[in-house]
């Protein structure tokens, strides 16, 4: 189905500036014209549309709010709107942009040296180089503080050993931001493809995020110069601060996936007839559609307030957790309801809700699972941590 109309029941458009609306609409057209025609094939084949990466760079969609050489330094609200439109296309497209911008460019811009910024930021912003972010390990997902990957001092450099699992863009990346335990605490390193001892492996058989590369990073005595270390990144707080940026983008992004599900189900319900009437005339179908538009509207309000607070310098961890937790669960519920309204047609890839539903299972888990975010917000309101 084409001709997406957008979902704006509460006129949030009136709260956006001309620049915000214009960028949002440009990304919406890009997704309609350049991305959506190919997504079914990429999802079936388990491939990412590599040919679109230069266009993502030219349009300024890679790290739009990052500040530094070659970067645009736009507002958080604009970054959010971009994520929303990309994820209306597919969570894999938004994931690519999240990792590149929030998890690779952002830590380089905040924790890197001037040389690291000059070398990497313009290339990453333009999409000429691709990055990935290695925090999770096979035995340390929700608890990254237990990481076993280690970097030891070796003369004037470092020796890196260990592995990272479930890494988005692992097999596409020219550079990996890798978090490792050192004698001085957790540190971040820029590990480049081709360095002896650094290899990557593809994870096959995903039923979710199929149009996204996911893999493993393996470090076997990788010799790194000291200039590969991000000198400003000290302790677990450094990788967790990157997650805060990416989780913010996810909170917006999944609203786009939910909007696409709602829009698809609404139009189907107006056209599909049973008992000689459009199914949209039945009370139970209307109830599902109303639930969807209500929950999308509430999530849009959360995002806009979160974005305005971020742009005012308030980017509080529990606020981001509340929005990521609420909005991903909301989008997953919308995808399931839309799939239901489509009946049997909903189980094929002729329609998008089944694809969004499968993708959102990953989004529910990555960047902190739904329950981890429950416990982050729980700790904030009770003053009692469930973790330590
Ligand atoms: P804890 O003691 O709570 O924190 C250690 C230090 O870090 C600070 N901190 C944060 N700072 C900035 N942003 C955040 N989000 C932060 N969360 C914590 C904290 O204040 C403390 O600072 P300090 O100064 O006292 O040292 O750490 P903990 O070990 O108890 O763990 C807490 C927990 C469970 C909340 C945390 O580890 C967590 O968030 N776990 C979830 C792990 C996760 O989200 N992994 C994501 C991996 S990347 C990914 O999934 C990419 S998907 C990419 C895509 O395709 O889009
Ligand atoms: P676990 O931590 O083993 O959790 C399993 C279950 O136990 C969950 O339900 C969880 O909520 C629950 N649980 C755990 N601890 C608690 C607790 N204290 N209280 C209550 N319940 C708890 N990581 C990266 O570093 N970089 C990436 O680019 C990246 N990309 C990803 C892409 C995909 C497609 C996926 C699926 C994952 C990706 N990840 C990435 C990893 C992701 O961040 C982890 O999967 C996530 O943090 C959860 O870790 P885990 O899978 O080991 O689950």
């Amino acid at each position: 189905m084409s001709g997406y109309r957008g979902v704006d029941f509460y006129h949030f458009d009136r709260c956006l500036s001309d620049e915000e609306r214009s960028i949002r609409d440009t990304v919406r057209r890009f997704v309609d014209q350049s991305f959506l025609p190919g997504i079914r094939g990429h999802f079936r084949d388990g491939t990412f549309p590599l040919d679109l990466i230069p266009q993502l760079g030219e349009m300024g969609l890679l790290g739009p709010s990052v500040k530094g050489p070659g970067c645009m330094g736009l507002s958080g609200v604009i970054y959010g709107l971009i994520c929303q439109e990309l994820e209306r296309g597919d969570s894999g497209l938004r994931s690519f942009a999240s990792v590149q911008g929030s998890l690779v460019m952002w830590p380089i811009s905040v924790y890197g040296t001037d040389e690291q910024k000059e070398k990497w930021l313009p290339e990453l912003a333009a999409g000429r180089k691709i990055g990935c972010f290695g925090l999770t390990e096979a035995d340390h997902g929700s608890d990254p503080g237990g990481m076993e990957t280690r970097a030891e001092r070796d003369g004037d450099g470092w020796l890196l050993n260990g592995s990272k699992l479930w890494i988005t863009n692992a097999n596409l990346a020219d550079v990996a931001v890798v978090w490792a335990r050192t004698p001085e605490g957790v540190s971040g390193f820029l590990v480049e493809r081709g360095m002896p001892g650094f290899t990557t492996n593809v994870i096959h058989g995903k039923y979710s995020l199929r149009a996204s590369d996911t893999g493993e990073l393996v470090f076997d005595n990788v010799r790194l110069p000291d200039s590969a270390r991000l000198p400003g990144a000290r302790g677990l707080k450094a990788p967790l601060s990157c997650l805060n940026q990416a989780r913010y983008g996810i909170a917006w992004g999944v609203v786009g996936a939910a909007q696409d599900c709602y829009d698809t189900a609404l139009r189907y319900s107006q056209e599909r007839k049973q008992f000689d009437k459009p199914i949209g005339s039945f009370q139970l179908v209307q109830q599902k559609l109303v639930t969807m538009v209500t929950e999308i509207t509430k999530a849009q309000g959360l995002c806009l307030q979160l974005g305005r607070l971020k742009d005012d310098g308030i980017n509080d961890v529990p606020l981001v957790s509340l929005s990521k937790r609420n909005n991903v669960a909301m989008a997953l519920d919308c995808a399931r309801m839309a799939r239901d309204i489509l009946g049997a047609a909903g189980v094929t890839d002729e329609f998008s809700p089944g694809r969004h539903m499968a993708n959102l299972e990953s989004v529910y888990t990555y960047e902190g699972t739904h329950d981890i975010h429950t416990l982050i917000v729980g700790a904030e309101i009770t003053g009692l941590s469930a973790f330590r």
Side-chain angles (χ1 to χ4, degrees):
M1 281 189 179
S2 60
Y4 174 65
R5 295 178 292 203
V7 182
D8 191 19
F9 199 73
Y10 249 58
H11 307 286
F12 284 118
D13 259 25
R14 295 164 63 100
C15 307
L16 300 178
S17 68
D18 288 345
E19 183 193 27
E20 288 164 348
R21 269 195 302 272
S22 160
I23 293 176
R24 191 264 323 268
D25 292 346
T26 303
V27 183
R28 188 171 287 180
R29 276 193 300 278
F30 161 75
V31 168
D32 277 337
Q33 292 165 9
S34 303
F35 181 78
L36 286 177
I39 182 57
R40 187 150 70 145
H42 283 293
F43 198 82
R44 282 188 181 182
D45 296 345
T47 51
F48 182 80
L50 297 172
D51 54 314
L52 295 183
I53 296 172
Q55 209 177 335
L56 291 171
E58 276 163 31
M59 291 176 69
L61 307 186
L62 302 175
S65 58
V66 172
K67 297 185 176 74
C71 301
M72 307 195 32
L74 298 174
S75 71
V77 169
I78 291 180
Y79 176 45
L81 288 165
I82 290 171
C83 288
Q84 174 190 287
E85 294 309 314
L86 294 179
E87 195 146 359
R88 180 184 59 100
D90 191 82
S91 300
L93 180 60
R94 197 270 309 137
S95 267
F96 182 89
S98 286
V99 170
Q100 185 90 345
S102 290
L103 297 181
V104 179
M105 293 169 64
W106 189 83
I108 293 173
S109 77
V110 171
Y111 299 123
T113 61
D114 287 344
E115 290 72 29
Q116 289 168 336
K117 292 177 198 175
E118 290 292 345
K119 175 175 176 180
W120 290 108
L121 290 181
E123 295 295 296
L124 291 162
R128 288 188 293 270
K129 297 284 184 199
I130 298 171
C132 70
F133 177 89
L135 178 63
T136 305
E137 300 182 357
D139 294 331
H140 306 282
S142 296
D143 181 17
M147 70 176 71
E148 292 169 57
T149 297
R150 292 195 71 85
E152 300 288 350
R153 286 272 182 198
D154 180 46
D156 56 0
W158 297 86
L159 208 54
L160 181 66
N161 279 290
S163 62
K164 299 285 174 179
L165 199 60
W166 303 112
I167 307 305
T168 301
N169 293 345
N171 304 284
L172 307 178
D174 301 286
V175 61
V177 173
V178 177
W179 300 95
R181 193 175 292 290
T182 76
E184 297 140 46
V186 170
S187 287
F189 296 89
L190 301 176
V191 183
E192 296 182 41
R193 185 169 296 283
M195 285 180 158
F198 173 37
T199 49
T200 61
N201 300 308
V202 180
I203 294 176
H204 293 286
K206 286 181 299 173
Y207 61 75
S208 173
L209 277 182
R210 290 190 51 75
S212 172
D213 171 61
T214 315
E216 181 186 25
L217 311 176
V218 181
F219 316 103
D220 181 10
N221 283 320
V222 180
R223 178 91 171 73
L224 298 170
D226 197 46
S227 61
R229 189 162 68 122
L230 293 171
R234 291 291 167 90
L236 189 59
K237 195 181 178 105
L240 295 180
S241 67
C242 306
L243 301 185
N244 225 28
Q245 309 304 315
R247 291 166 177 173
Y248 168 83
I250 290 171
W252 279 87
V254 293
V255 177
Q259 287 175 333
D260 186 46
C261 292
Y262 168 73
D263 182 66
T264 304
L266 174 61
R267 279 187 289 151
Y268 188 85
S269 75
Q270 291 164 331
E271 290 163 13
R272 171 76 175 169
K273 287 193 174 143
Q274 290 293 290
F275 304 96
D276 301 322
K277 290 164 72 176
I279 59 169
S281 66
F282 298 126
Q283 290 171 342
L284 289 173
V285 174
Q286 288 191 5
Q287 185 187 37
K288 286 169 195 155
L289 292 167
V290 170
T291 300
M292 289 164 77
V293 79
T294 304
E295 294 306 318
I296 288 168
T297 301
K298 285 152 69 179
Q300 285 173 317
L302 266 184
C303 282
L304 199 53
Q305 172 67 355
L306 184 67
R308 297 287 183 226
L309 288 174
K310 182 173 168 64
D311 288 332
D312 282 348
I314 301 168
N315 191 18
D316 242 3
V317 172
L319 302 190
V320 173
S321 284
L322 188 148
S323 293
K324 192 269 185 187
R325 176 181 183 276
N326 180 78
N327 293 5
V328 178
M330 176 283 296
L332 199 44
D333 285 346
C334 283
R336 288 174 181 149
M337 277 186 269
R339 208 293 306 150
D340 171 18
I341 290 171
L342 291 164
V347 306
T348 73
D349 62 10
E350 187 188 344
F351 293 96
S352 59
R355 174 167 51 78
H356 286 303
M357 188 171 67
N359 284 338
L360 288 164
E361 289 293 344
S362 284
V363 184
Y364 192 83
T365 285
Y366 72 32
E367 292 282 0
T369 67
H370 183 81
D371 287 343
I372 289 296
H373 289 294
T374 306
L375 297 175
I376 293 172
V377 178
E380 172 70 11
I381 60 178
T382 63
L384 303 168
S385 170
F387 301 118
R388 314 280 171 201

